[in-house]
Amino acid sequence: MEFQAVVMAAGGGSRMMDLTSSIPKPLLPVGNKPLIWYPLNLLERVGFEEVIVVTTKDVQKLLNLDTKMKLDIVCIPDDADMGTADSLRHIHQKIKTDVLVLSCDLITDVALHEVVDLFRAYDATLSMLMKKAHEPTEVAPGQKGKKKPVEQRDFIGVDDTGKRLLFMANEADLDEELVIKRSLLQKHPRMHIRTGLADAHLYCLKKYVVDFLVENRSFTSIRSELIPYLVRKQFSSPASFQGQGDREQDPKSLDIYRFLKDDSFLESASAKPCWNDHRGDLNEALHGGKVRCYVHIMKEGLCYRVNTLGLYIEANRQVPKLLPVLCPEELLVHVSAQVTDKGLVGSDSIIGSSTQIGEKTSIKHSVIGTSCSIKDKVKITNCVIMNSVTVEEGCSLQNSLLCHNAMIEKGADIKDCLIGSGQRLEPKCK
Amino acid sequence: MMAARGSGRRGAGPGASRGPDPQEEPPPPLQAVLVADSFNRRFFPVSKDRPRVLLPLANVAMIDYTLEFLTATGVEETFVFCCWKSAEIKEHLHKSKWCRRTSPNTVRIVTSDLYRSLGDVLRDVDAKSLVRSDFLLVSGDVVSNINVSVALEEHRMRRKLEKNVSVMTMIFKESSPGHRARCQEDDVILAMDSTTNRILHYQRTQGLKHFSFPMSLFQSNIETVEVRHDLLDCHISICSPQVAELFTDNFDYQTRDDFVRGLLVNEEVLGNQIHMHVTAEEYGACVSNLLMYEAVCSDIIRRWVYPITPEMNFTDDETKSCTHAKHNIYRGAEVSLGHGSVLDENVLVGQGTVIGSKCSIANSVIGQHCKIGDEVTLDGAFLWNGVHVADHVEIRQSIVCDEAEVKEWVKLSPHCVLTSQVVVGPNITLPEGTVISLHPPDEEEDDEDEFSDDSGVNKEENKVKLKGYNKAQVGSEGRGYLWKADDENEVDEEEQRQSLWGPLLKPEEESETESDLSLGSEQPDSRAASPQLDDIKVFQNEVLGTLQRGEEENISCDNLVLEINSLKYAYNIGLKEVMQVLSKVVLEFPLQQLNAELDPQRYCGMLIPLLKNWTPVFKNYIKRASDHLDALSAIEEFFLEHDGLRTSIAKVLMTFYQREILAEETILCWFSQRNASDKGRQLRKNQQLQKFIQWLEEAEEESSEGDQE
């Protein structure tokens, strides 16, 4: 077994409280599948047989997935505010090899081997996945008027090949300027700094990084602390040996270098007189440095991290294209769904099982959950409708999100709205 | 084939090497502005005898390389601007092939003693309207074989597409850090837009460990900003006539760096852009210091500047012809080599030079009519014309100028410079970096005006009047004065004067120091000290000064308040900070007299009278409940910092309470604060403090009981 896969599903979804207050984030339906199904499916497709899922008790109770993989579900205490690094530390005893860490909110059709190959080819400490940041195409319902908070941009520095990750900084940590160390530029004099990238939260990490995390308790988050730390450490030298004694007493100054396994072959190679350290040119032997971070930047394909309402809606819009690829045996319109006028259901819509759809009802660009009841003459465009929703006759729904058990009475005309679960809308309301 | 191209360039028909054929409208003939003055003293004292552009580089004057480059790249008219020793330059040019009628490149010489900088030259270009169209701007020490036609085409295209937006295209050569032609002095770091080649940020590295890039670079719609540290500035730029105008408009632009910086900073206002062109294959370098001199000279000998090689003799000067043999050995006419002498590799020997027997010579350039004795070792030596080297001499990586003489058994360590007609020896070893000149160092001042105004003259050094030659320094038969190049006592405010040879290139950055580590690795934001903090610091010092004076001169509290208020406005400090600073300053006040020992008893004894004196000052600032708390937190901070004084906190608080500066409710409130840090909690466990608090509580109860009754 080369990798152990870990899916982080303990996050609360704090950026989309409207939805996650009633449904835990990993279980939010996207294309009538719980969100966590997507990363698990990704792993299953590439042949993983076992996955560790870190989640909360609530989720575990409700989690009911059909997957061939063996799920090892680890719950973290509800009250503990644990970051992803904490979670990884929590399960470290289960980790015997290098790990592949995924977030439960990742929906992508990336060829996973691209990331893993980087990891293998360069004997990397870390390899990760990034993609072009996604521009929301349409306004998220329920957020009209609200000014979207400007996301803090990440500055990602990659080398000329676009693979090696050299630099990482977040706008929030910077004042007026971006500071780059000279030693970095000496080794990599050409650095491309890109801003329009988003982290997909998919990481391959060496086993020793986990060991390091176990010892060094100051890290709480993989994304915001561990990864920047590793990226920085690439270009700083290992702590000097003299300081070793003091360091052992002071756990805070633990250095990642202490956890590197010395490669005896390399040692012997560098001792040989003909060892070529490529002085002058830049192609350092063995990729230079002992800590190496690489990144795969997706140029095309779908990649969403569902962590805001806008992205949730967007993901729901996009999955109809993705699902036939991910699980071809399932139809977009479930067999048990009763659709009267098949012609009026667009090919880009998904309809869940046991849902009934009345006559002359047209559905476009929409996802409709299970056990819904949509009556006659309803027009649904660009909507996400969760389970057991009832929509009475003559309604018109546009660009809206209807949570579980919502009731829409006759003749309602809804546009750009978010209807909470169990809500009931009076007839003819707009 | 290459040779044919090279000779074609030299001949009368340069058409072949001229840029691409004009298509629609033939572009006007290409002009160039060659600045034959560096406006600095980097080559002093070598350039005292001869202007820098005439210094021989592989036995050919630098300016000839520059003119050859310009001609080969298709320039048809060159303006040479001279200032320092202009007559010599003029004479040199008149004798050269550039002023012959057959020259495809018309050289016009413009001289003025008034030029002080590149800016002056370009302002003159503008005033005289010398240029009609885009022109090349180079300095007279550029050695290059770059064909600028591609860059020129790009430049013209840009100017056509977006009218007059891009004013300049700078030419860079790719060379990785650690390359010997990358000297620290000229090292640059750039940020560019990789799709358009637009320069966004340009900065000299100047030995900095960290480079900062303003965030504004990343704000615009550029997806990828490329940071490049692998470029060597060739000091060749394609300029539009606008450049000269811009220099006229901005009188503070002195150098090209000023100009580039000014343009980049004001890009949004003025809308001018600078682009770049990077060449990977061709050669381009600027001989800006002796390190570069050595590097470029070696490159010429090693044929990196092909087709400009010594045996090409592009200057058409009979005396400079030489033959090329394997291992890059070049020999001029009438060279005699003694028995047992070896020319190892990369050696150029000029016409008429006589070399004795059993010499070993490698990586060196020897000028014309030199005499070299027996058993001489030369490695990396640059001997100019007419140099006499006696027997058993060893010269490594040094420059010996015209007609200098090195006597027997002299050893020159690396980076020595002997200027014209200097004599050293016999039997002396010159330490590394020795510079000896016939001009005494203090002569500098006399001709300072003629030269440049920005180079500092060190008075201290000049006080040492050398009457005669110091035999200990130059040897018993020596003639010349030692120039101190790298002394530490020389503190120049403008720039720390580098050694004549220039800073050495460190091929590999040494591992980061500890401080660097902690700075870069653990907490990236910890170093982000806001400027406001500095203001507070200054303010604190000022307050301290005010209080000190108040104490010494017995100034009334009202006046102190006035002074502090005016300081508060001067540094734009908020009321809260004033409170904190004031408390801190007062509490620290007795520490000055206490020196290092922290005796709580004595501390209290000194502090309490002070507090009593300054009660009105405190009362003036501490009014609202929040003020009380701020003052208390400042007091707490102080006592946390000074462990030894902790026991006195109760007394201090008591005084504050008694003087009615702090009210009991707020003290109690502070004491029971929930969000206190661990240390703060410890502080609160202090016995005396607890007693004091207890006492306060009881007092309060009593008073409230009293109220009820």
Side-chain angles (χ1 to χ4, degrees):
Chain A
M1 190 166 57
E2 188 187 359
F3 284 104
Q4 280 176 294
V6 179
V7 175
M8 295 290 176
S14 54
R15 274 176 283 184
M16 38 204 271
M17 271 310 187
D18 296 338
L19 295 176
T20 51
S21 51
S22 53
I23 315 161
K25 179 162 133 176
L27 301 178
L28 276 180
V30 175
N32 291 338
K33 307 259 180 207
L35 192 48
I36 194 171
W37 179 85
Y38 292 90
L40 292 175
N41 174 270
L42 176 72
L43 295 169
E44 192 175 342
R45 270 185 294 145
V46 296
F48 275 95
E49 286 167 356
E50 281 183 47
V51 178
I52 302 171
V53 179
V54 181
T55 186
T56 54
K57 286 217 175 69
D58 296 351
V59 178
Q60 192 193 16
K61 268 181 249 159
L62 297 166
L63 193 62
N64 178 29
L65 286 168
D66 96 271
T67 168
K68 292 184 198 92
M69 295 187 294
K70 188 179 152 222
L71 294 187
D72 182 357
I73 297 174
V74 180
C75 292
I76 59 166
D78 290 332
D79 51 339
D81 184 20
M82 284 171 88
T84 42
D86 293 321
S87 303
L88 201 56
R89 196 178 295 129
H90 189 67
I91 56 162
H92 77 271
Q93 278 161 335
K94 291 174 187 283
I95 291 174
K96 307 279 185 282
T97 64
D98 298 342
V99 282
L100 179 67
V101 180
L102 279 87
S103 166
C104 71
D105 53 11
L106 177 68
I107 300 181
T108 179
D109 59 353
V110 71
L112 198 55
H113 71 84
E114 302 256 27
V115 184
V116 176
D117 281 352
L118 278 176
F119 188 73
R120 292 171 178 149
Y122 298 102
D123 189 22
T125 308
L126 156 79
S127 72
M128 60 193 287
L129 176 69
M130 287 205 191
K131 45 120 193 197
K132 278 219 173 100
H134 161 78
E135 304 283 325
T137 42
E138 279 166 80
V139 211
Q143 298 221 316
K144 213 168 43 172
K146 261 189 238 170
K147 203 174 168 271
K148 234 189 83 198
V150 182
E151 285 256 332
Q152 300 284 8
R153 293 178 307 163
D154 274 320
F155 296 98
I156 309 292
V158 291
D159 74 350
D160 225 17
T161 60
K163 289 178 187 160
R164 179 96 187 240
L165 184 59
L166 302 175
F167 180 82
M168 195 178 221
N170 188 278
E171 201 166 13
D173 302 333
L174 301 166
D175 295 337
E176 296 289 294
E177 38 198 27
L178 193 75
V179 179
I180 296 173
K181 272 202 254 177
R182 179 186 157 87
S183 48
L184 194 166
L185 284 170
Q186 294 235 304
K187 283 184 189 135
H188 298 273
R190 277 182 89 158
M191 177 158 83
H192 301 258
I193 297 181
R194 306 185 56 168
T195 45
L197 293 176
D199 186 351
H201 289 221
L202 185 153
Y203 313 108
C204 291
L205 294 166
K206 276 270 196 287
K207 166 83 165 69
Y208 61 73
V209 178
V210 181
D211 296 342
F212 166 69
L213 271 184
V214 172
E215 296 282 320
N216 196 330
R217 301 202 155 255
S218 60
F219 290 92
T220 59
S221 156
I222 296 182
R223 169 66 182 96
S224 54
E225 291 167 29
L226 178 68
I227 304 290
Y229 174 81
L230 290 176
V231 172
R232 275 200 307 271
K233 272 289 164 188
Q234 292 182 94
F235 302 100
S236 55
S237 50
S240 59
F241 284 102
Q242 296 137 351
Q244 203 84 35
D246 319 335
R247 263 154 215 284
E248 268 158 46
Q249 275 127 44
D250 181 8
K252 280 215 162 166
S253 64
L254 280 175
D255 201 66
I256 182 79
Y257 282 93
R258 278 191 47 211
F259 294 87
L260 283 167
K261 301 272 181 312
D262 280 329
D263 189 328
S264 57
F265 172 73
L266 265 188
E267 294 260 302
S268 63
S270 57
K272 296 278 181 275
C274 62
W275 172 253
N276 178 10
D277 67 348
H278 291 260
R279 183 164 256 170
D281 79 5
L282 292 157
N283 307 322
E284 277 182 89
L286 299 150
H287 330 301
K290 283 188 171 168
V291 176
R292 293 180 286 275
C293 302
Y294 288 84
V295 59
H296 172 66
I297 297 171
M298 277 180 86
K299 295 207 173 59
E300 49 200 19
L302 284 175
C303 183
Y304 289 98
R305 275 203 66 226
V306 180
N307 55 10
T308 63
L309 191 60
L311 282 166
Y312 175 72
I313 309 263
E314 184 66 26
N316 267 303
R317 270 182 206 131
Q318 298 293 340
V319 279
K321 291 182 213 155
L322 193 65
L323 273 176
V325 186
L326 299 185
C327 47
E329 69 275 11
E330 276 179 51
L331 295 171
L332 289 180
V333 177
H334 198 272
V335 245
S336 62
Q338 295 170 10
V339 183
T340 325
D341 286 325
K342 290 236 156 128
L344 289 174
V345 176
S347 62
D348 47 4
S349 298
I350 299 176
I351 294 169
S353 60
S354 325
T355 288
Q356 297 176 347
I357 292 177
E359 279 176 40
K360 291 185 184 167
T361 287
S362 82
I363 298 170
K364 286 179 202 156
H365 299 291
S366 297
V367 177
I368 296 173
T370 54
S371 315
C372 290
S373 158
I374 313 251
K375 295 287 160 57
D376 300 347
K377 293 176 192 157
V378 177
K379 264 181 81 174
I380 299 177
T381 328
N382 266 336
C383 286
V384 178
I385 297 177
M386 294 189 187
N387 300 342
S388 312
V389 172
T390 312
V391 180
E392 293 291 340
E393 274 178 30
C395 288
S396 160
L397 308 177
Q398 259 191 50
N399 213 17
S400 296
L401 174 64
L402 280 66
C403 294
H404 291 312
N405 304 320
M407 281 279 286
I408 309 293
E409 296 287 356
K410 274 182 193 170
D413 187 354
I414 299 172
K415 204 176 164 186
D416 298 328
C417 284
L418 185 139
I419 315 268
S421 64
Q423 294 240 353
R424 192 192 163 90
L425 274 169
E426 292 305 310
K428 304 249 163 110
C429 110
K430 292 198 175 183
Chain B
M1 188 204 82
M2 294 293 272
R5 204 177 113 215
S7 59
R9 283 185 186 190
R10 281 190 296 122
S17 57
R18 236 177 272 167
D21 288 326
Q23 287 145 5
E24 312 126 27
E25 198 185 312
L30 188 56
Q31 294 173 304
V33 170
L34 189 158
V35 184
D37 201 326
S38 58
F39 307 109
N40 66 33
R41 296 177 162 224
R42 288 299 286 123
F43 271 78
F44 247 41
V46 181
S47 56
K48 262 184 135 67
D49 306 309
R50 234 204 250 196
R52 185 202 284 198
V53 292
L54 295 188
L55 300 184
L57 204 61
N59 292 347
V60 176
M62 284 188 208
I63 195 169
D64 289 331
Y65 288 97
T66 313
L67 285 168
E68 172 67 19
F69 152 69
L70 291 176
T71 311
T73 204
V75 172
E76 294 178 38
E77 187 177 18
T78 304
F79 297 98
V80 179
F81 287 85
C82 319
C83 175
W84 169 246
K85 301 238 179 206
S86 52
E88 280 183 46
I89 300 174
K90 225 171 179 172
E91 194 194 332
H92 173 88
L93 289 178
H94 278 307
K95 275 198 262 170
S96 72
K97 75 164 186 180
W98 313 111
C99 287
R100 290 183 208 156
R101 245 190 237 139
T102 52
S103 169
N105 182 0
T106 320
V107 173
R108 300 184 202 285
I109 302 167
V110 187
T111 59
S112 165
D113 288 340
L114 296 174
Y115 298 142
R116 283 283 178 277
S117 67
L118 177 78
D120 291 337
V121 169
L122 283 173
R123 281 185 271 273
D124 205 32
V125 168
D126 187 42
K128 292 179 178 155
S129 4
L130 294 176
V131 291
R132 294 180 295 273
S133 168
D134 296 333
F135 64 98
L136 279 179
L137 176 66
V138 293
S139 58
D141 44 14
V142 166
V143 175
S144 171
N145 61 1
I146 295 173
N147 186 348
V148 296
S149 55
V150 180
L152 189 65
E153 203 59 26
E154 286 171 6
H155 177 80
R156 284 184 175 146
M157 191 58 85
R158 270 193 290 267
R159 288 188 53 82
K160 216 160 147 192
L161 288 177
E162 268 188 289
K163 200 148 179 48
N164 296 345
V165 168
S166 174
V167 292
M168 185 155 110
T169 301
M170 296 167 84
I171 295 182
F172 293 92
K173 175 184 154 46
E174 253 178 36
S175 74
S176 52
H179 189 274
R180 67 166 163 213
R182 291 273 303 256
C183 79
Q184 275 186 356
E185 233 177 293
D186 277 333
D187 227 8
V188 290
I189 191 153
L190 289 168
M192 64 181 272
D193 176 352
S194 23
T195 41
T196 59
N197 280 339
R198 182 155 78 85
I199 297 180
L200 304 170
H201 183 75
Y202 174 94
Q203 184 187 358
R204 295 205 172 254
T205 59
Q206 287 163 331
L208 294 172
K209 284 234 155 156
H210 297 89
F211 305 114
S212 312
F213 299 90
M215 294 294 265
S216 53
L217 295 187
F218 308 94
Q219 296 312 1
S220 40
N221 45 4
I222 303 161
E223 194 177 84
T224 308
V225 174
E226 203 176 338
V227 174
R228 297 194 67 161
H229 190 46
D230 62 338
L231 297 177
L232 177 70
D233 190 350
C234 299
H235 289 265
I236 302 166
S237 1
I238 302 170
C239 304
S240 67
Q242 259 173 297
V243 172
E245 288 162 25
L246 283 166
F247 267 98
T248 310
D249 293 347
N250 296 278
F251 246 80
D252 49 342
Y253 289 165
Q254 293 298 316
T255 62
R256 198 183 62 154
D257 280 5
D258 292 343
F259 173 75
V260 172
R261 214 174 303 128
L263 235 59
L264 293 179
V265 168
N266 297 322
E267 199 228 297
E268 266 161 41
V269 188
L270 300 170
N272 292 321
Q273 298 181 343
I274 298 177
H275 287 79
M276 60 193 273
H277 174 81
V278 177
T279 174
E281 298 293 315
E282 294 156 311
Y283 189 88
C286 173
V287 185
S288 53
N289 56 29
L290 286 184
L291 189 79
M292 285 301 282
Y293 178 89
E294 184 197 357
V296 172
C297 218
S298 311
D299 286 341
I300 293 170
I301 300 286
R302 288 175 175 82
R303 309 177 75 75
W304 284 107
V305 205
Y306 194 88
I308 302 177
T309 53
E311 88 275 9
M312 283 302 174
N313 190 16
F314 61 84
T315 51
D316 269 351
D317 184 344
E318 285 286 308
T319 62
K320 284 180 181 148
S321 68
C322 59
T323 58
H324 174 224
K326 64 179 176 182
H327 304 309
N328 293 333
I329 307 289
Y330 305 86
R331 285 202 208 194
E334 298 158 48
V335 168
S336 89
L337 189 63
H339 180 73
S341 285
V342 184
L343 300 183
D344 206 13
E345 55 171 359
N346 306 320
V347 178
L348 169 62
V349 184
Q351 189 198 32
T353 287
V354 179
I355 299 174
S357 59
K358 292 186 189 163
C359 291
S360 157
I361 300 174
N363 307 317
S364 298
V365 175
I366 300 169
Q368 295 166 17
H369 306 289
C370 292
K371 284 203 171 57
I372 292 173
D374 299 339
E375 293 182 49
V376 170
T377 307
L378 302 180
D379 189 0
F382 300 94
L383 311 184
W384 295 1
N385 296 339
V387 173
H388 287 242
V389 177
D391 300 345
H392 310 289
V393 166
E394 190 182 329
I395 300 179
R396 292 188 190 278
Q397 264 196 309
S398 295
I399 296 176
V400 182
C401 300
D402 289 336
E403 288 154 44
E405 196 177 341
V406 183
K407 301 250 185 210
E408 294 88 8
W409 297 104
V410 168
K411 194 177 162 197
L412 298 191
S413 306
H415 302 171
C416 286
V417 177
L418 306 182
T419 67
S420 240
Q421 294 169 349
V422 163
V423 182
V424 287
N427 294 316
I428 190 170
T429 299
L430 297 185
E432 196 168 322
T434 312
V435 179
I436 294 175
S437 167
L438 273 191
H439 305 275
D442 48 353
E443 209 180 89
E444 259 180 286
E445 252 166 338
D446 310 340
D447 49 24
E448 191 192 9
D449 282 357
E450 281 176 64
F451 205 73
S452 113
D453 51 354
D454 57 348
S455 50
V457 179
N458 194 288
K459 299 265 159 57
E460 225 176 288
E461 190 187 64
N462 298 336
K463 279 178 195 157
V464 194
K465 277 271 178 192
L466 291 176
K467 298 244 168 73
Y469 303 123
N470 188 337
K471 299 293 180 201
Q473 286 166 348
V474 295
S476 53
E477 292 165 40
R479 293 198 304 139
Y481 301 101
L482 183 72
W483 277 57
K484 285 204 180 115
D486 51 347
D487 39 1
E488 298 109 58
N489 55 357
E490 194 165 326
V491 186
D492 203 13
E493 275 163 36
E494 287 287 322
E495 50 177 301
Q496 224 178 345
R497 200 167 123 192
Q498 295 107 332
S499 74
L500 182 57
W501 200 276
L504 277 180
L505 251 193
K506 291 183 200 103
E508 197 75 26
E509 181 84 346
E510 67 271 47
S511 64
E512 290 165 278
T513 56
E514 282 296 310
S515 64
D516 197 26
L517 252 172
S518 63
L519 191 127
S521 57
E522 291 313 322
Q523 216 76 95
D525 39 4
S526 64
R527 74 187 108 115
S530 64
Q532 212 208 336
L533 268 181
D534 296 338
D535 271 358
I536 291 179
K537 260 249 159 77
V538 178
F539 175 70
Q540 185 179 327
N541 288 339
E542 295 272 2
V543 170
L544 180 66
T546 308
L547 290 183
Q548 260 168 353
R549 250 181 316 116
E551 174 70 8
E552 283 157 18
E553 297 166 22
N554 227 346
I555 299 173
S556 78
C557 286
D558 286 348
N559 285 340
L560 285 179
V561 168
L562 273 179
E563 284 201 33
I564 293 174
N565 272 346
S566 65
L567 286 172
K568 168 177 173 272
Y569 291 119
Y571 294 98
N572 197 15
I573 304 287
L575 207 64
K576 188 177 168 182
E577 280 81 23
V578 173
M579 191 86 50
Q580 285 169 342
V581 168
L582 184 68
S583 315
K584 198 172 167 214
V585 167
V586 171
L587 290 174
E588 280 175 359
F589 207 84
L591 292 183
Q592 296 166 339
Q593 278 115 6
L594 278 177
N595 299 329
E597 74 175 300
L598 294 175
D599 178 13
Q601 289 270 315
R602 279 186 62 199
Y603 175 77
C604 284
M606 290 165 85
L607 181 69
I608 287 167
L610 289 176
L611 285 181
K612 284 180 180 163
N613 275 346
W614 289 329
T615 303
V617 180
F618 277 101
K619 277 195 175 165
N620 183 60
Y621 291 105
I622 303 182
K623 282 174 183 155
R624 295 163 300 165
S626 64
D627 302 338
H628 288 256
L629 282 179
D630 286 336
L632 278 164
S633 68
I635 295 169
E636 177 181 346
E637 205 173 289
F638 171 80
F639 282 104
L640 287 179
E641 271 174 38
H642 299 89
D643 267 346
L645 299 174
R646 270 197 198 173
T647 42
S648 47
I649 184 169
K651 267 192 184 163
V652 172
L653 286 181
M654 186 69 175
T655 321
F656 271 107
Y657 173 68
Q658 282 170 340
R659 304 301 301 181
E660 288 175 355
I661 301 171
L662 295 173
E664 59 188 44
E665 300 92 46
T666 45
I667 297 179
L668 291 174
C669 174
W670 163 78
F671 185 77
S672 55
Q673 248 171 7
R674 287 276 169 93
N675 53 356
S677 60
D678 290 351
K679 281 187 172 172
R681 257 179 238 130
Q682 272 198 348
L683 186 76
R684 283 173 177 71
K685 280 184 192 141
N686 181 312
Q687 266 198 349
Q688 274 105 329
L689 182 59
Q690 290 209 329
K691 261 187 208 161
F692 169 67
I693 295 292
Q694 213 180 345
W695 178 81
L696 266 186
E697 272 167 353
E698 280 164 13
E700 191 182 27
E701 270 166 33
E702 271 169 34
S703 70
S704 61
E705 274 167 22
D707 285 351
Q708 277 171 1
E709 284 166 15

